[in-house]
Amino acid sequence: RLRLHDGKLIKDRRYHLRTYPNCFVAKELTDWLIDHKEAPDRETGIRLMQKLMDHYIIHHVCDEHSDYKDAKLLYRFRKDDGTFPLSKDVKVFMRGQSLYEKLVSVEESILKVREENSVKYQRTFLGCEMVDWLIQEGEAENRKEAVELGRALLEHGIIQHVSNRHHFFDSDILYQFWINFRRRRRLTELLNENSSRALSESPDSPFCLRKLNPDPGNTSFLSVQTNKEIKIVSAVRRSSITSLAGNSNPYFSTTPALVFPPVAECNPKSVLKRPVTTEELLSPGAPYVKKTLTIVGDAVGWGFVVRGGRPCHIQAVDPGGPAAAAGMKVCQFVFSVNGMCVLHLDYQTISSLIMTGPRTLVMEVMEAIE
């Protein structure tokens, strides 16, 4: 975005007697991506910008197009018109980035190489040292507030206990930053998200997130990728991946581990008795009722699996999870997620919306009338 401003691709533009501030022409931007080697061809450039639209980073100036078209249409970065969604998760992420930059740029930083159980960890800090530093730098008024900030950073996957066994405490427990905020990513890395997702998630569960087993000598940490990394809280998530790996409980592994179970290559059979189209759901007099569910995620997720596409349906629900408590049932169809209609989306896109959204999830579902 800043490079486009510097290159004058983003500027006020006039169209049909109306001036649109801080916008760019899609076709010109595609040319720019190729000229600056951010994309090898126009098709890749279009896919890249569509990714930015999917992540609510850019949008059409009049919101008349939900997809990115390589044409003389005007688009704008949401940060340039104040519509970028600053949710609590994004604010915590930005706070973590600010603290990280502050820590690595000063001499005599509290970030040091330390050893625990004969394993060396890079750029670590003690919990009590971080609390002292936050108060000293005016980032927190007292120790209680500093601990709350540390806990928020840990819960959003920005810092972690070096062996992932403790929450954040004002003590001599050892922690490290889990995200390397200084690693600059190329835009084309956005297109590799699905391939990396395949390593950490079973095909039947878009909500399974598991941490990589950190290499003791690793100095690069986890690099900034999608917002789903902000959501990583614990090593074990509710997911039917555990049942496919041989665990008797299909939603929660009773033996937490940081290593991956074998990746399943099969999809479970759909719980739907027959395919249902969007037109059928929305037709007048259809035997379906719409319900609104408010689901507050816990430390291991929301507790359900969504499958299919156009429309998606609920494939499985953890009977002891937040989704079940909110009234979610299998075979319900997903109508909207946090106010956005998703009937035309596939389950991978819907899962991305959920993972990058707030922990409190508001979903509209359509349920067959018995």
Side-chain angles (χ1 to χ4, degrees), residues 30 33 45 76 88 134 162 173 181 219 228 264 267 301 337 341:
T30 308
L33 290 172
R76 183 187 291 130
K88 178 184 176 183
L134 290 171
V162 290
I173 297 176
F181 288 100
T219 59
K228 73 178 183 180
N267 284 323
V337 173
C341 181

Side-chain angles (χ1 to χ4, degrees), residues 98-109:
S98 171
L99 294 175
Y100 180 87
E101 290 292 341
K102 205 170 181 179
L103 281 166
V104 299
S105 61
V106 298
E107 295 183 5
E108 300 299 321
S109 172

Side-chain angles (χ1 to χ4, degrees), residues 98-145:
S98 171
L99 294 175
Y100 180 87
E101 290 292 341
K102 205 170 181 179
L103 281 166
V104 299
S105 61
V106 298
E107 295 183 5
E108 300 299 321
S109 172
I110 63 172
L111 300 184
K112 299 176 182 177
V113 178
R114 291 183 174 89
E115 190 173 302
E116 183 175 282
N117 296 329
S118 301
V119 177
K120 284 187 177 181
Y121 297 93
Q122 303 290 326
R123 298 188 184 183
T124 64
F125 56 90
L126 300 177
C128 55
E129 284 183 339
M130 176 61 82
V131 170
D132 291 338
W133 181 83
L134 290 171
I135 296 174
Q136 175 186 326
E137 295 296 318
E139 297 287 348
E141 291 188 1
N142 49 56
R143 303 193 79 82
K144 179 182 177 182
E145 186 177 310

Side-chain angles (χ1 to χ4, degrees), residues 149-212:
L149 175 56
R151 287 185 163 242
L153 294 176
L154 189 143
E155 289 172 0
H156 286 74
I158 296 169
I159 64 172
Q160 68 167 18
H161 176 247
V162 290
S163 56
N164 203 34
R165 294 179 181 173
H166 300 287
H167 211 311
F168 184 81
F169 293 102
D170 182 7
S171 66
D172 58 357
I173 297 176
L174 196 59
Y175 301 89
Q176 68 181 157
F177 273 86
W178 180 240
I179 298 177
N180 180 5
F181 288 100
R182 285 200 164 183
R183 176 178 174 260
R184 181 179 175 184
R185 301 181 62 215
R186 295 191 66 82
L187 276 174
T188 49
E189 291 183 50
L190 285 170
L191 302 180
N192 299 326
E193 289 176 2
N194 289 335
S195 59
S196 63
R197 177 183 299 167
L199 294 174
S200 60
E201 297 177 13
S202 163
D204 75 313
S205 179
F207 300 148
C208 173
L209 289 181
R210 291 169 180 267
K211 284 184 179 178
L212 289 168

